[in-house]
Amino acid sequence: MPISVVVGILALQGAFAEHQTTLNNLATKSCTKVKSMPHLTCQLVRTPAELALCDALIIPGGESTTMALLARVNGLLEPLKEFLKIKPVWGTCAGAILLAESIEGSKKGGQELLGGMSVKIGRNGFGSQIDSFEGPLIFSSDSETLTNRSEEFIGVFIRAPIVLSVMEDPSLPKPQVLAKIPPQALPPYDDGTEATNLEEDPRTIVALRQGNLVLTTFHPELTRDDRFHEYFVRDVVAPSLSTPPTPS
């Protein structure tokens, strides 16, 4: 019998409905086509009681400052910080910002973060709405879930944040790069020079895992390709249910 998992989606603001649709479709597909997938159900999360029902959580894209404010108003901010210490959490776009240790470009007065991942992120790092783009990803992970399909994964970047640096904390799991974009897709440096070195520029990183925490700076839920949702459920969430929790 497959194990059962409840994946919550923070539903205070942003693209939570798109994540719900993708997960529901994945749950239906996993019954017949996807081997070794757990039995999957979704839970929209707006209260601490709903969060407590979940084995894992997705924080969607949207507006990170507004999302943090609504989490505070709804009594969710502190429960979310405790949740991510022991259970898997995946942040997409705005959700990636909330999982960062620190950020650049916050609004006046700053914003609250959940933290948990040893990264520094720049808000709207690729530019404004008119600078949004789509582009193929270069997978760095050896996960078969991400790499076993012949078609390219096209990332959707909408006012996307950008990874400015990745730190290593001996007390935390080592960060693992899952995917990058070609350097030619990056905006110029502040001095106007172009990025050319894929290996050395952290800004090319668009998907990262650290322990049971995952961030993507793009919107996987806005494509028909569900492999990142499958990766989160099968490679991150399911193993966490059979091993003792460790701090992320």
Side-chain angles (χ1 to χ4, degrees):
M1 288 288 291
I3 61 173
S4 296
V5 300
V6 178
V7 176
I9 306 167
L10 190 64
L12 300 175
Q13 187 267 344
F16 58 86
E18 288 82 354
H19 277 291
Q20 184 181 31
T21 297
T22 303
L23 285 177
N24 285 337
N25 290 340
L26 182 61
T28 300
K29 185 175 76 171
S30 68
C31 294
T32 56
K33 296 181 180 180
V34 182
K35 296 180 180 179
S36 71
M37 272 286 286
H39 177 72
L40 172 64
T41 57
C42 296
Q43 170 68 53
L44 295 182
V45 173
R46 298 185 177 95
T47 67
E50 291 168 340
L51 180 64
L53 299 174
C54 302
D55 298 306
L57 183 72
I58 295 174
I59 304 176
E63 213 296 314
S64 59
T65 307
T66 301
M67 209 175 291
L69 177 61
L70 291 173
R72 171 69 70 184
V73 169
N74 284 271
L76 266 171
L77 201 64
E78 295 307 318
L80 285 169
K81 290 180 180 180
E82 293 303 312
F83 186 95
L84 64 79
K85 292 178 182 178
I86 58 174
K87 294 186 178 182
V89 177
W90 171 23
T92 66
C93 198
I97 294 172
L98 292 175
L99 291 180
E101 181 179 296
S102 62
I103 62 170
E104 280 190 4
S106 61
K107 291 185 176 180
K108 186 176 181 180
Q111 73 174 83
E112 293 186 276
L113 301 174
L114 300 175
M117 298 193 72
S118 305
V119 297
K120 182 177 184 179
I121 282 186
R123 293 179 81 253
N124 302 331
F126 288 94
S128 64
Q129 188 80 21
I130 61 171
D131 299 304
S132 299
F133 68 97
E134 298 182 6
L137 305 190
I138 302 168
F139 286 110
S140 306
S141 168
D142 58 2
S143 166
E144 290 186 4
T145 308
L146 294 176
T147 60
N148 66 358
R149 306 187 193 184
S150 59
E151 64 271 21
E152 289 184 318
F153 186 98
I154 305 300
V156 178
F157 296 81
I158 302 174
R159 292 178 59 201
I162 200 165
V163 175
L164 298 174
S165 61
V166 179
M167 292 78 75
E168 290 195 19
D169 184 334
S171 66
L172 297 175
K174 184 177 180 179
Q176 175 191 1
V177 176
L178 301 178
K180 296 183 176 184
I181 55 171
Q184 57 267 29
L186 293 173
Y189 290 112
D190 291 340
D191 62 5
T193 59
E194 298 290 334
T196 58
N197 194 321
L198 177 64
E199 296 300 324
E200 295 183 2
D201 195 332
R203 302 181 308 158
T204 60
I205 298 169
V206 295
L208 188 74
R209 176 177 179 178
Q210 187 171 20
N212 284 332
L213 304 181
V214 178
L215 68 77
T216 54
T217 61
F218 55 96
H219 289 270
E221 76 282 4
L222 298 184
T223 76
R224 294 184 178 182
D225 192 321
D226 62 7
R227 78 183 80 175
F228 272 94
H229 290 79
E230 183 181 338
Y231 171 80
F232 183 60
V233 174
R234 179 155 63 173
D235 291 18
V236 183
V237 180
S240 76
L241 299 179
S242 58
T243 57
T246 56
S248 295

